Amino acid sequence: MLHIGRLHLITDTRPGRDPLAVVDAALSVAGPELVVQVRVEDDTDDRTAYELAVEVARRCAAVGASCLVNDRLHLALAIGAAGGHVGARDLPVDAARRVLGPAAVLGATARDPRTGTAAVEAGASYLGVGPCHATSTKDGLPAPIGPEGIRRVASAVPVPVIAIGGITPERVPALLAAGAYGVAVVGAVSGAADPAQATAALLTALTANPPPPQPKWGTSPGWDPRRGSPLSGRGAGADGW
Ligand SMILES: Cc1ncc(COP(=O)(O)OP(=O)(O)O)c(N)n1
Ligand SMILES: Cc1ncsc1CCOP(=O)(O)O
Ligand SMILES: [Mg+2]
């Protein structure tokens, strides 16, 4: 079943961080609600990334949460992750879909409707859209697109939009009102004094602000049941994703 959660925690593996402790804290609060995306620094070797991913996947499986792997799709396959996430400098979305297979969750980064639509047609299950706000955890990003940028993409695509970049609980309502289905965070949880409490605050903000109905969901031009499209799992879960 294709399940795309509304709260995505991306691992923070910068020096001095303890990603597994943060994942443990977040899972203790969110359980199966959480999606954990394993993301490592570009210069991290595959063995180190694999060992982290194995541990994250084990912890996710214990509570029924989903694990995705950023960029390195061979690791996603190796650890039996639910799927992966790719952006502009990674495998193209159609190639990523071929690697992961039809049943996997495949996220793609988009900042505008054209890129987002192309990614969906190429097989993306959801879009990571941002940076919505300024972020201190990734360098070299373009200017923040804000809720209005989310609105532009979300109104153009028939898959869930996950807002990313500078997300805090206070910013969640405007992003959901703009059409985001959920949010992805690094710093709001990893940088918090109490990651469990920070996770709880994000969950509360998401739950208190259900996403508005999206009549376009279910009409993906890229929907091809033979390929196991982004929408092939629609209707299987309470929210259709
Ligand atoms: C949910 C989500 N959205 C966007 C990204 C960014 O992916 P990408 O543009 O490939 O950048 P890197 O994370 O690989 O540096 C993401 N990882 N997750
Ligand atoms: C990987 C990535 N892509 C766009 S913003 C970002 C990092 C988001 O981190 P934070 O939640 O700390 O702003
Ligand atoms: Mg990437």
Side-chain angles (χ1 to χ4, degrees):
M1 181 180 86
L2 197 62
H3 173 71
I4 297 164
R6 298 182 69 207
L7 179 56
H8 295 221
L9 171 65
I10 301 179
T11 56
D12 187 351
T13 59
R14 291 173 298 166
R17 308 290 159 152
D18 187 347
L20 287 176
V22 172
V23 166
D24 282 339
L27 286 172
S28 75
V29 171
E33 303 287 315
L34 196 67
V35 176
V36 182
Q37 183 191 124
V38 179
R39 177 176 183 269
V40 297
E41 301 302 294
D42 288 342
D43 61 0
T44 300
D45 62 64
D46 264 356
R47 181 65 65 92
T48 303
Y50 172 77
E51 286 168 356
L52 174 65
V54 165
E55 281 305 312
V56 170
R58 192 172 64 77
R59 286 159 159 83
C60 287
V63 299
S66 298
C67 176
L68 303 177
V69 176
N70 186 50
D71 296 350
R72 306 188 193 200
L73 302 185
H74 55 304
L75 297 188
L77 292 175
I79 66 160
H85 186 101
V86 293
R89 303 314 307 160
D90 308 313
L91 276 184
V93 178
D94 59 344
R97 174 55 75 193
R98 285 195 295 279
V99 169
L100 290 179
V105 173
L106 175 57
T109 303
R111 311 193 202 289
D112 57 72
R114 186 185 56 78
T115 316
T117 303
V120 173
E121 290 180 349
S125 320
Y126 74 88
L127 298 180
V129 180
C132 296
H133 298 281
T135 178
S136 58
T137 57
K138 179 170 173 170
D139 296 328
L141 287 168
I145 60 173
E148 194 44 44
I150 291 290
R151 189 183 308 282
R152 279 194 291 273
V153 178
S155 63
V157 297
V159 298
V161 162
I162 303 297
I164 187 170
I167 306 295
T168 61
E170 296 71 28
R171 289 170 168 165
V172 166
L175 296 167
L176 298 184
Y181 176 73
V183 296
V185 301
V186 180
V189 172
S190 181
D194 183 343
Q197 193 278 330
T199 302
L202 285 161
L203 277 180
T204 299
L206 287 165
T207 315
N209 298 276
Q214 296 287 338
K216 291 182 73 177
W217 286 1
T219 62
S220 168
W223 187 17
D224 177 353
R226 290 162 304 176
R227 195 187 62 197
S229 83
L231 302 176
S232 60
R234 188 167 170 72
D239 56 11
W241 298 101

